[in-house]
Amino acid sequence: DFLSERASPPVYTTFLQAWQAQLAVLEPIPRMIVTRRAGMHGARETLEEIGAMLGVTRERVRQIETLVVERLAERSRWRRSVEANLVAAFGSGRALPLDLLAQDSWWAGIDQQELLLDYVVRRIFEDQLFVLEAPSGKRYLTKFGPSDFVTHLESAKSRVAKLEYPVEEIVIAEILHAEADVLDPILFTELEQAVGELLHRDPEKPGLALGYGRYRTDELLAFLNGQAEPVPVSLVEDACG
């Protein structure tokens, strides 16, 4: 820790205050580089863009940024403060919607600073925390990587595709719960939405899925699965084109 932190341990009331306090002790150029790289005041800027503005190479900008990040990671009191509030926010979970996180007073405004949060978790908490953008567009702070989510989403889709149709949707829900629970139960709705977009449902029998898939053949099979007996080709053409 720095001497100032030893003499007077900081107490931060919000994450944004804690971050700004760390930037305040930096020299102007390092502070400007990290602020722009973190996208605090707009789009995140590249090393090349900042280098061109300062008249230095992208490598020099990268070196300055890396030095600042390493110093930030070493400030144990600041880091412990962030970690303690992360533990409180996550509870026993492994995924936390950013809009829900922002309801915590310590994380107030974080949903308006997603680029900054992404920067901090990538550079300060590398390989420990991740920002996940789910298929719905909703963003989550997670303890697992986006690739893990994709793996379980694709597994869910594959398992649902292999079912014998027609099938009760509760069977599909059980598959989705099994896949989501490995990550965090809160992600069930994300899997449900992604899989649901490809489900063909029986309009006359709520809760019954007739088929699954995005192609014309899937639509045709779903239509036939919904018929109690063989139907004329003309009726199939009218229904499926």
Side-chain angles (χ1 to χ4, degrees):
D1 290 348
F2 292 94
L3 292 178
S4 60
E5 290 188 343
R6 288 188 179 139
S8 179
V11 177
Y12 307 116
T13 58
T14 69
F15 169 77
L16 293 179
Q17 181 192 67
W19 176 254
Q20 290 165 350
Q22 307 316 303
L23 297 185
V25 300
L26 299 176
E27 294 295 325
I29 288 180
R31 180 168 63 245
M32 182 271 287
I33 288 174
V34 172
T35 296
R36 290 173 180 265
R37 291 287 289 151
M40 289 188 65
H41 304 300
R44 182 178 293 160
E45 296 184 31
T46 66
L47 297 173
E48 290 82 358
E49 290 171 334
I50 298 174
M53 180 178 62
L54 295 176
V56 298
T57 65
R58 71 180 303 278
E59 176 59 19
R60 181 55 184 151
V61 175
R62 188 196 65 77
Q63 291 171 353
I64 295 173
E65 179 188 20
T66 298
L67 180 61
V68 173
V69 167
E70 289 174 348
R71 292 179 66 188
L72 288 172
E74 291 170 357
R75 294 183 183 181
S76 60
R77 285 196 177 93
W78 170 74
R79 184 175 178 130
R80 284 200 301 269
S81 179
V82 175
E83 289 174 338
N85 283 280
L86 282 171
V87 170
F90 270 105
S92 60
R94 300 181 67 227
L96 187 62
L98 291 193
D99 56 354
L100 182 60
L101 179 64
Q103 294 177 24
D104 183 315
S105 60
W106 203 82
W107 295 97
I110 197 61
D111 54 337
Q112 304 301 315
Q113 288 285 353
E114 292 183 13
L115 290 178
L116 170 60
L117 180 62
D118 179 68
Y119 184 83
V120 171
V121 300
R122 282 190 303 103
R123 300 304 303 271
I124 308 298
F125 296 93
E126 184 178 6
D127 297 328
Q128 299 179 48
L129 295 171
F130 306 85
V131 175
L132 167 70
E133 182 174 356
S136 67
K138 192 170 185 177
R139 291 179 180 268
Y140 297 79
L141 186 62
T142 69
K143 295 181 179 180
F144 51 84
S147 61
D148 294 318
F149 175 81
V150 171
T151 295
H152 286 280
L153 173 58
E154 292 305 314
S155 176
K157 288 180 177 180
S158 176
R159 293 172 64 184
V160 170
K162 292 176 182 178
L163 292 173
E164 292 289 335
Y165 290 90
V167 66
E168 296 291 336
E169 289 193 46
I170 190 172
V171 175
I172 297 172
E174 290 172 353
I175 291 175
L176 302 184
H177 275 298
E179 295 289 348
D181 288 352
V182 177
L183 302 172
D184 190 291
I186 200 172
L187 293 171
F188 169 79
T189 55
E190 295 292 345
L191 299 186
E192 183 180 44
Q193 178 176 327
V195 169
E197 292 174 351
L198 299 178
L199 273 182
H200 300 279
R201 296 178 168 89
D202 190 331
E204 298 180 359
K205 297 179 181 178
L208 184 66
L210 301 177
Y212 178 84
R214 67 175 72 252
Y215 301 110
R216 182 61 60 85
T217 53
D218 300 315
E219 181 183 357
L220 174 60
L221 289 174
F223 173 76
L224 294 175
N225 286 333
Q227 307 306 309
E229 55 187 39
V231 296
V233 173
S234 59
L235 183 58
V236 175
E237 292 176 341
D238 290 341
C240 301

